[in-house]
Amino acid sequence: MADLDVPQSNAFQVSMPDHVVPESKTRDLDKLLLRPGNLVGPDFYPGPDLRDDIRDYVRILVVGAGGLGCELLKDLALSGFSKLDVIDMDRIEVTNLNRQFLFRLEDVGKPKAEVAAKRVMERVSGVEIVPHFSRIEDKEIEFYNDFNIIALGLDSIEARRYINTIACSFLEYEEDDTPRRETIKPMVDGGTEGFKGHARVIMPGVTPCFDCTIWLFPPQVKFPLCTLAETPRNAAHCIEYAHLIKWPEVQKGRSFDPDEPEHMKWVYDEASKRAELFGIPGVTYSLTQGVVKNIIPAIASTNAIISAACALETLKIVSGCSKTLTNYLAYNGGEGLHTEVTDFERNTDCLVCGPGILIELDTSITLQKFINMLEEYPKLLLSKASVRHGKHSLYMQAPPVLEEMDRPNLSKPLYDLMGRVQKDTLNVFGTMLKNDEKQATSTKVRVVFKGADGVADMDTAIGA
C-alpha cells in the first residue's frame, strides 16, 4: 500500500466546516420532548420549557446503588434529570466490581451511595445527586414525599414492600373512592435475575401495587430443619444451620442482623466448621451472604437493559411524551431478545393501596384503645401500630425520639386528635401476621365517629 501523502500528526484529523453546528447533547431527548406525536399522553405539551422543567424541578429518588441502581443513576442523569437522590445502606465489596460499573478497587469499603453519586456527577455535568448512606427504614416518612417519582433498584422483596407501603400511604381518596391525582406517588421498579428481568410502573390507586401482585414473586426456598440439623448435604445446608439453629442457640436471644458484617462473619465461621465436619466443600463468605440474604445472581447486560426500560418509563411519567407501560414488562435474555408486556389488574380490596377499612368508633375512644383494637380486628391483626393523620404523626413506634414525643397522645381521645371531624382517614403502619409470618405493612382506616358533629382546627387539636 502506498504511503499517504499526509503528515503523520494530521493523518486522523477531520476538519469541520465553519457553517456546521455541532449536534446538541440533548438531541435524542429533544426528539421526544420538543415535538408532538401519535402516542403522547393527554397532558403532553412539547417545547423547551418542558425539558427545562424536568431538569430544574423534577426530583427522583433512586433506592439502591447496586448493579441496577448504578445503571439507573447513569441513565436518569443522561435523560435530562438533574436533581437525583440515592439511598443505600451497603458498602462496596470486591465481589460487586464485576457488574457495578461505577465502583473501582480503591472504593472497596466505602458507602455505595456516596461513591455512585460522586462518579455520575463527575461524568455528567449539571447533575446534582444527594447520597444517603442509611437504611430505608431510618428515614422519616415525609422524606419520601419530597420526590416526584421513586425508582427502585432493589434485590429484596421486603424492601420493595416497605417502599410500596410508604408510597401508598400518601394516597388519598375522594368520597366516591377515586384516588386524588395529586396524592399519587409513582414508582418505577426494576428487577433482574441472571438473564431475566422485569420493569414495572406502579401508580398507587390506579395500577396494582406490590401487595396486589405479591404472588408474582416465587416463594423462597426453605430447608427442613431436620435436614439442617442431622443430614446436611450441601454448602447451603451448612450455612442455614449456622444461621437458623446455631445462632439462636449460642447468642441467646440476640437478634441477627444480616447487614452487620460481624454477624455475617460469625455465621460464615460456624458454617465452615460444620462443612468441614461433614466433608462438604463450597462454603465461602460470598455464598454465606447469598444464602442468608437471598441474594440473586446478576448479569451486567441484564441490568443495563432493565435500567433503560425503567429510565424511559420515568421520563414518560413526568413528561407525558408517550403512554406509559401497562404495566409490567418481562425480559428473558436466555431466549434471545424476548420481551412480553402484561396488564395486571389491581386488587380493589388491597389493604395497602385501597381506600381502607371502614371502622365506626365512639368519640370517647382513646388513641391507645384504638391501637389495641387494631390488634384484634379480624381483617388487620396489626401489632405495634403507628398512626398518622394526614401529615401529622399521632403516634410512631420508632424512632425512639418520635415515640417519646407522641406518647402523650395515647391517653387522648382519637376524636380530638383528628380535629373533631365526623369522618376521615388514618394511615396505620405495623406488623401483620400473614401465612404464619410477620410482615411489615400499612393500611388505611376510614374512621367514622358515632354522633359526632363540628370541626376544629387539626393543628390546634394535636398541639393541645
Side-chain angles (χ1 to χ4, degrees):
M1 179 182 293
D3 292 336
L4 293 173
D5 190 17
V6 179
Q8 185 66 30
S9 60
N10 296 327
F12 296 100
Q13 291 183 1
V14 178
S15 61
M16 180 179 292
D18 294 337
H19 66 278
V20 176
V21 179
E23 289 185 336
S24 168
K25 292 182 179 180
T26 61
R27 178 197 63 183
D28 295 321
L29 189 62
D30 291 346
K31 291 178 180 179
L32 294 174
L33 301 181
L34 303 187
R35 61 187 187 184
N38 295 325
L39 298 177
V40 300
D43 298 325
F44 177 61
Y45 301 101
D49 289 345
L50 175 60
R51 182 188 60 200
D52 295 343
D53 287 346
I54 290 174
R55 180 193 64 213
D56 297 335
Y57 300 112
V58 176
R59 292 191 64 191
I60 308 293
L61 173 65
V62 176
V63 185
L68 191 56
C70 285
E71 293 283 352
L72 276 170
L73 279 175
K74 175 259 296 180
D75 287 347
L76 291 170
L78 293 173
S79 298
F81 297 99
S82 66
K83 296 186 180 299
L84 303 170
D85 285 52
V86 58
I87 181 169
D88 195 297
M89 64 173 293
D90 290 336
R91 295 180 181 272
I92 299 165
E93 300 177 7
V94 174
T95 55
N96 301 147
L97 303 182
N98 70 327
R99 62 192 181 281
Q100 299 175 20
F101 72 99
L102 294 177
F103 308 141
R104 307 289 181 267
L105 187 59
E106 62 267 23
D107 299 324
V108 171
K110 298 177 183 177
K112 287 184 177 181
E114 295 177 4
V115 176
K118 177 175 177 286
R119 286 278 150 71
V120 174
M121 287 191 290
E122 288 174 348
R123 297 296 298 271
V124 185
S125 61
V127 174
E128 179 184 354
I129 304 177
V130 180
H132 303 272
F133 175 47
S134 73
R135 293 161 52 92
I136 55 177
E137 298 89 349
D138 292 342
K139 292 292 184 181
E140 294 186 9
I141 295 173
E142 283 305 313
F143 165 79
Y144 295 97
N145 203 22
D146 291 337
F147 300 95
N148 300 98
I149 295 180
I150 300 176
L152 307 183
L154 295 166
D155 59 2
S156 162
I157 296 175
E158 291 76 17
R160 283 185 172 97
R161 295 188 73 179
Y162 180 81
I163 296 296
N164 177 71
T165 291
I166 296 299
C168 290
S169 72
F170 302 128
L171 182 64
E172 297 178 9
Y173 282 85
E174 303 286 358
E175 290 288 338
D176 61 353
D177 287 350
T178 58
R180 294 179 184 173
R181 183 176 178 183
E182 67 274 14
T183 66
I184 296 175
K185 183 71 62 180
M187 290 177 287
V188 178
D189 171 63
T192 65
E193 179 179 357
F195 287 105
K196 297 179 180 180
H198 78 262
R200 67 185 298 184
V201 172
I202 297 176
M203 308 288 283
V206 180
T207 68
C209 73
F210 276 110
D211 274 63
C212 289
T213 54
I214 194 65
W215 49 268
L216 283 171
F217 296 96
Q220 298 182 10
V221 177
K222 296 182 179 180
F223 304 107
L225 289 180
C226 58
T227 299
L228 304 182
E230 305 295 339
T231 56
R233 296 187 296 275
N234 55 46
H237 289 166
C238 298
I239 294 168
E240 286 290 58
Y241 170 83
H243 172 216
L244 300 176
I245 298 177
K246 197 68 176 179
W247 176 276
E249 179 183 300
V250 175
Q251 300 297 333
K252 303 298 182 184
R254 186 184 179 193
S255 297
F256 177 79
D257 185 353
D259 297 307
E260 176 58 53
E262 180 186 345
H263 293 193
M264 192 65 70
K265 178 66 164 53
W266 189 94
V267 170
Y268 165 65
D269 291 339
E270 292 298 319
S272 298
K273 295 176 186 177
R274 187 159 180 81
E276 183 178 357
L277 178 64
F278 284 88
I280 297 173
V283 173
T284 64
Y285 184 77
S286 60
L287 179 63
T288 302
Q289 288 181 302
V291 172
V292 173
K293 299 176 70 173
N294 193 33
I295 296 175
I296 299 170
I299 295 175
S301 58
T302 309
N303 285 335
I305 292 169
I306 295 303
S307 171
C310 292
L312 180 59
E313 293 306 317
T314 303
L315 182 64
K316 290 179 185 179
I317 292 172
V318 300
S319 68
C321 66
S322 179
K323 296 178 181 178
T324 58
L325 179 71
T326 56
N327 45 54
Y328 188 96
L329 179 145
Y331 165 75
N332 190 349
E335 298 180 6
L337 294 177
H338 177 75
T339 59
E340 182 179 354
V341 175
T342 305
D343 185 7
F344 288 110
E345 294 185 2
R346 177 171 165 264
N347 177 11
T348 55
D349 295 326
C350 178
L351 293 178
V352 177
C353 68
I357 295 174
L358 183 64
I359 297 181
E360 191 176 44
L361 299 173
D362 190 85
T363 55
S364 62
I365 189 171
T366 63
L367 177 59
Q368 181 65 72
K369 289 184 178 179
F370 173 71
I371 291 175
N372 294 342
M373 180 187 299
L374 297 176
E375 296 187 11
E376 302 174 1
Y377 199 80
K379 291 185 178 180
L380 293 176
L381 302 178
L382 201 66
S383 61
K384 296 183 178 180
S386 299
V387 183
R388 288 175 61 87
H389 182 216
K391 294 183 178 181
H392 297 273
S393 164
L394 301 188
Y395 181 72
M396 299 297 290
Q397 295 277 355
V401 63
L402 285 183
E403 193 280 333
E404 185 176 354
M405 290 173 56
D406 293 340
R407 199 179 301 159
N409 287 340
L410 292 173
S411 59
K412 296 179 181 180
L414 182 61
Y415 179 55
D416 292 342
L417 292 171
M418 293 179 63
R420 302 179 68 83
V421 295
Q422 184 176 12
K423 58 181 178 179
D424 210 342
T425 301
L426 294 170
N427 287 312
V428 181
F429 307 82
T431 303
M432 179 184 295
L433 185 63
K434 193 172 184 179
N435 298 328
D436 296 328
E437 293 185 0
K438 291 184 177 180
Q439 300 175 352
T441 188
S442 80
T443 188
K444 292 178 174 57
V445 177
R446 293 183 288 179
V447 175
V448 176
F449 292 101
K450 293 180 286 188
D453 57 4
V455 178
D457 180 71
M458 183 168 65
D459 292 309
T460 303
I462 290 178

